[in-house]
Amino acid sequence: MAVARRKLLQSRQVGTLLFFLCVSVGGAATIRYSVAEEMESVSFVANVAKDLGLEVGKLAARGARLVSEGNKLHFRLHRKTGDLFVKEKLDRESLCGKADPCVLHFEIVLVEPLQSFRAEVRVFDINDNAPIFPNKEPLLKIPESTPLGSRFPLQSAQDLDVGLNGLQNYTLSANAYFHLHTRFRSHGPKYAELVLDKPLDREEQPEVNLTITAVDGGSPPKSGTAHIRVEVLDVNDHVPQFSRLVYRAQVPENSANGYLVTTVTATDLDQGSNKEITYSLSQNPEAILQTFQIDSETGEVRLRGPLDFEAIETYDIDIQATDGGGLSAHSKVLVEVVDVNDNPPEVTISSVSSPLPEDSPLQTVVALFSVRDRDIRVGGKITCFLRDDLPFAVKSTFRNSYSLVTGRGLDREEVSGYNITLVVMDTGPPSLSTETVIEVLISDINDNSPIFQEDSYILTVRENNSPAVFIGKVHATDLDLGENAQVTYSLLPPKSGDLSVFAYISINSDNGKLYALRTMDYEAIQDFQFVIKATDRGFPSLSSQVTVRVVVLDDNDNRPMILYPLQNGTLPCNDLVPRSAEAGYLVTKVVAVDGDSGQNSWLSYHLLKATDSGLFSVQQQNGEIRTLRQISERDPMMQKLIILVQDHGQPALSTTASLNILLVDGFSEPYLQFQDPSKHPTRVNPSTKYLVISLAVLSFLFLLCVTVIFIIHIYHKIKYKEKITIQEHFYDDCNFPNHLIQGGANGSLSQPCPYEMCSATGTGTSEFQFLKRFMPTFPFPHGTGEVKTETGSSLPPDSDRNRSQGSEGHARVSDDYM
């Protein structure tokens, strides 16, 4: 009946291992499989994708991988099909020893998003190990007086298999003296005892040879044998007696070698050598012999090797006491290993998402990990926390499994990466902890606009520059990384839509260098500004703007221009001075302008050449010509002056003006008072006749000069519509030319301002009574929007700078003439 039951169980086990795999999902989302040991590598286990409810190909798309709790992974996952295969041949005995069931734990980790599933594979045992006796030829010494029914324990056979495949029974070869009785240990394999059936007679048979066979329950069964040699001893009628049948002891697992477990004692009533007792650890498994030792004389049982509660919790030690006559007795020592907290928690990192985008939302899963404490009973509760104050947090997912998530916002520009120290601690006592460092890099996103080094830029360029000359550089930096930090520069069109700035300035888009595309003319434009845009190459791109003002520096490239007296190649201009003029008499005023600005437009006047250098002087600052002394009759009537007008530029530029002065008699009155001939008869003087003739000739020349000037003016107006000339007006009865008055200390002209002059009667002096200003209207050329001076330089209309002071470089007429 027992044999039939055993065969039925064996057939069920074989059927389970060969024809199906048990798959189940536990309460903690654990997937369970089972395989038989010694399966060849690449053997199919199960289809994981199907069990997880995923479509074929999803495992590959989500980067599925296996993570083992131990240091070695025994299975391989085919991502495309979802099949789970055996990576290498499994040996249950080397994996789990005598532990049953033998379960291998691992995790299936999916990324994008992070997700993990616990899985375990139970390795079923097959009958691949035969029972083995540690001692193939044991020796038993049994006195011939041993009573019938005496029992003699034999060494246990060792079978690495478990369950039905493990050691099941012993058999003894046929003999006349002994039969075999199998017994069970509370912890450990079965062992056999020889039971004496027939009295021994040393004189008849001094030695008995037996063969013991250990048989397991596999299909087919395997066996191992040992040859027992029984030596029959002479009479020793007292057997040692132990003080206890069973000794019990508790030993902490962290006890050192040599630790006293317990002391066994036995006594013998015999005398002499038969009373001397020796102790030994006979008939014990190898594991016990490597862990414990006994003093053969005192019976002290001590530790020989380390204890590990997590491996073996209890030990069943067989103690043998033998007297000098060869009689022996047996007792047991049951050792209970006391668990202590000697194992720190173990951390297994399943997956880490690195690098992590800096714009990751809160509660983004960064890493998955599990925790295990081998000191289950004494370790207490496990706590997980981060050692430093970091923008991360530990979140429990399910039993002993955790996730590392973001707890605050991330900024790569502040911190580009984190070494996260994860601390796992049990409650002990004593409390033990494990630190694991998880490295997480932060990837950049385009969240910073380029920043210019200055709020605005002011650059200078000197006029008459060479085209494409470098005038300055703008620079912007971006706190981002890679392409997000690469900056390109461009010119923005003005809001008014005027694109003329693109004709003046060019920018290098890579380094922000600015170049003047054309030659600058200070007299045409003094400064201008534009906006530069700096754009990064991120997606979406970010940009910033800065205003750049370019100031054109003036060069002394314009000579002074004489406005009065006119120097147009016609007859020289004549000024009349009465011979009655006193010293300091204002004869006339030289009016000149300079198209430059600043120091380059400051003009000074010098008398370069004169008919009589002691008669006239020129004011250096304003060009006024005055008499140095009173005119005498000996002074020639015609006085020719050459005036040098010079600016203050470097190098200085100059021009000259020629002026003729006529010395006349009686010209101090604005007009002549005619007398009635009937009342005042006069006599014609010959000298008066010549004077009248001279005046007539001069008047003719004057009219001729005016006519030529008018014709030239009309010609210039037709040919050059962009020029404005200044007309001179004279009163016929006064015969005085209109003067263009120089204004300001620098001789610059802002607008042409002619004046009409008339002298009052009855003054008896040559001073002017009043000046009457009038504003002639000059037509502006159509389409240009500019007014050009006599020298051809253009002036932008309606410009505030055209109405500014002489330091701005435009001509102005003085209102203080004469």
Side-chain angles (χ1 to χ4, degrees), residues 324-516:
L327 297 179
S328 61
H330 295 267
S331 180
K332 292 184 179 295
V333 176
L334 296 180
V335 179
E336 180 182 354
V337 180
V338 179
D339 188 21
V340 297
N341 192 30
D342 59 343
N343 293 285
E346 299 175 358
V347 179
T348 301
I349 304 297
S350 301
S351 182
V352 178
S353 292
S354 179
L356 187 68
E358 61 177 322
D359 62 342
S360 298
L362 298 181
Q363 300 300 312
T364 298
V365 178
V366 179
L368 295 176
F369 62 94
S370 59
V371 178
R372 184 181 70 167
D373 193 340
R374 300 182 64 183
D375 299 317
I376 302 175
R377 299 180 182 178
V378 298
K381 184 179 178 181
I382 296 177
T383 57
C384 300
F385 59 91
L386 301 181
R387 188 175 64 181
D388 302 319
D389 183 18
L390 300 176
F392 300 95
V394 176
K395 182 178 180 181
S396 177
T397 54
F398 46 86
R399 183 176 178 269
N400 292 336
S401 294
Y402 302 86
S403 60
L404 181 67
V405 299
T406 55
R408 300 195 300 269
L410 305 176
D411 190 354
R412 189 207 63 81
E413 288 71 35
E414 292 184 1
V415 182
S416 61
Y418 295 90
N419 287 325
I420 305 171
T421 302
L422 176 65
V423 181
V424 181
M425 180 181 296
D426 60 25
T427 55
S431 179
L432 301 178
S433 62
T434 300
E435 292 188 358
T436 302
V437 177
I438 302 176
E439 182 180 5
V440 177
L441 301 178
I442 307 301
S443 61
D444 183 52
I445 64 168
N446 192 28
D447 58 347
N448 290 279
S449 301
I451 301 175
F452 283 95
Q453 289 182 340
E454 299 182 16
D455 296 334
S456 62
Y457 290 83
I458 298 179
L459 307 178
T460 59
V461 58
R462 190 165 292 279
E463 69 170 329
N464 302 320
N465 59 284
S466 300
V469 67
F470 172 74
I471 64 173
K473 178 181 180 181
V474 296
H475 182 68
T477 57
D478 196 310
L479 297 178
D480 292 319
L481 193 65
E483 288 189 354
N484 297 333
Q486 296 179 6
V487 180
T488 58
Y489 304 89
S490 60
L491 294 176
L492 290 182
K495 295 182 180 180
S496 61
D498 182 13
L499 302 180
S500 60
V501 66
F502 295 105
Y504 286 93
I505 293 297
S506 173
I507 188 170
N508 188 312
S509 61
D510 295 329
N511 53 31
K513 290 184 178 181
L514 292 166
Y515 299 90

Side-chain angles (χ1 to χ4, degrees), residues 229-275:
R229 188 166 61 91
V230 178
E231 181 180 352
V232 181
L233 302 177
D234 199 11
V235 176
N236 181 17
D237 54 354
H238 289 92
V239 177
Q241 298 292 325
F242 281 95
S243 61
R244 297 180 188 176
L245 292 178
V246 177
Y247 294 85
R248 300 180 183 274
Q250 290 184 339
V251 182
E253 65 173 326
N254 60 348
S255 299
N257 292 344
Y259 179 83
L260 179 61
V261 178
T262 187
T263 300
V264 297
T265 58
T267 58
D268 195 313
L269 298 178
D270 293 326
Q271 296 294 324
S273 61
N274 292 332
K275 187 178 181 180

Side-chain angles (χ1 to χ4, degrees), residues 13 37 92-93 96-102 122-129 159-168 216-218:
Q13 182 185 22
E37 70 167 330
R92 193 206 65 80
E93 287 73 26
C96 301
K98 299 294 289 184
D100 189 32
C102 179
R122 179 175 179 179
V123 182
F124 284 100
D125 183 53
I126 65 174
N127 191 25
D128 58 342
N129 293 281
D159 193 341
L160 298 180
D161 296 323
V162 296
L164 290 177
N165 295 325
L167 178 64
Q168 297 296 325
D216 62 19

Side-chain angles (χ1 to χ4, degrees), residues 42-293:
V42 198
S43 297
F44 176 77
V45 178
N47 187 279
V48 174
K50 181 178 178 180
D51 297 332
L52 294 179
L54 299 176
E55 297 178 2
V56 177
K58 283 292 185 179
L59 293 180
R62 295 184 62 181
R65 61 190 179 91
L66 302 181
V67 178
S68 175
E69 284 189 355
N71 297 327
K72 190 174 183 181
L73 189 62
H74 304 283
F75 302 94
R76 181 172 61 87
L77 178 64
H78 194 286
R79 295 182 180 177
K80 293 184 178 179
T81 63
D83 293 335
L84 185 66
F85 298 94
V86 176
K87 188 175 181 182
E88 60 185 12
K89 184 181 291 187
L90 301 177
D91 185 5
R92 193 206 65 80
E93 287 73 26
S94 62
L95 293 175
C96 301
K98 299 294 289 184
D100 189 32
C102 179
V103 179
L104 302 179
H105 300 273
F106 62 93
E107 288 187 43
I108 304 171
V109 180
L110 306 179
V111 297
E112 299 179 356
L114 282 174
Q115 191 176 9
S116 67
F117 300 88
R118 284 180 174 253
E120 60 182 36
V121 177
R122 179 175 179 179
V123 182
F124 284 100
D125 183 53
I126 65 174
N127 191 25
D128 58 342
N129 293 281
I132 299 175
F133 287 92
N135 188 358
K136 295 290 185 179
E137 295 181 357
L139 173 64
L140 292 179
K141 295 181 179 181
I142 302 177
E144 59 181 349
S145 60
T146 301
L148 297 179
S150 297
R151 296 174 181 267
F152 302 93
L154 301 177
Q155 62 178 348
S156 299
Q158 305 296 320
D159 193 341
L160 298 180
D161 296 323
V162 296
L164 290 177
N165 295 325
L167 178 64
Q168 297 296 325
N169 198 9
Y170 294 92
T171 60
L172 187 66
S173 61
N175 66 92
Y177 295 96
F178 299 93
H179 77 271
L180 201 63
H181 178 71
T182 303
R183 303 192 66 175
F184 296 86
R185 286 190 174 96
S186 59
H187 299 281
K190 298 177 182 179
Y191 68 97
E193 292 179 342
L194 288 178
V195 180
L196 184 62
D197 293 333
K198 180 182 177 181
L200 299 174
D201 188 356
R202 182 178 181 278
E203 289 71 26
E204 180 180 349
Q205 187 175 353
E207 187 174 293
V208 178
N209 292 312
L210 305 172
T211 299
I212 184 171
T213 302
V215 183
D216 62 19
S219 179
K222 294 186 177 183
S223 61
T225 60
H227 299 285
I228 304 174
R229 188 166 61 91
V230 178
E231 181 180 352
V232 181
L233 302 177
D234 199 11
V235 176
N236 181 17
D237 54 354
H238 289 92
V239 177
Q241 298 292 325
F242 281 95
S243 61
R244 297 180 188 176
L245 292 178
V246 177
Y247 294 85
R248 300 180 183 274
Q250 290 184 339
V251 182
E253 65 173 326
N254 60 348
S255 299
N257 292 344
Y259 179 83
L260 179 61
V261 178
T262 187
T263 300
V264 297
T265 58
T267 58
D268 195 313
L269 298 178
D270 293 326
Q271 296 294 324
S273 61
N274 292 332
K275 187 178 181 180
E276 296 177 359
I277 298 175
T278 58
Y279 302 92
S280 64
L281 301 177
S282 61
Q283 316 301 329
N284 285 285
E286 186 67 22
I288 292 179
L289 297 178
Q290 293 180 356
T291 307
F292 299 93
Q293 62 183 358

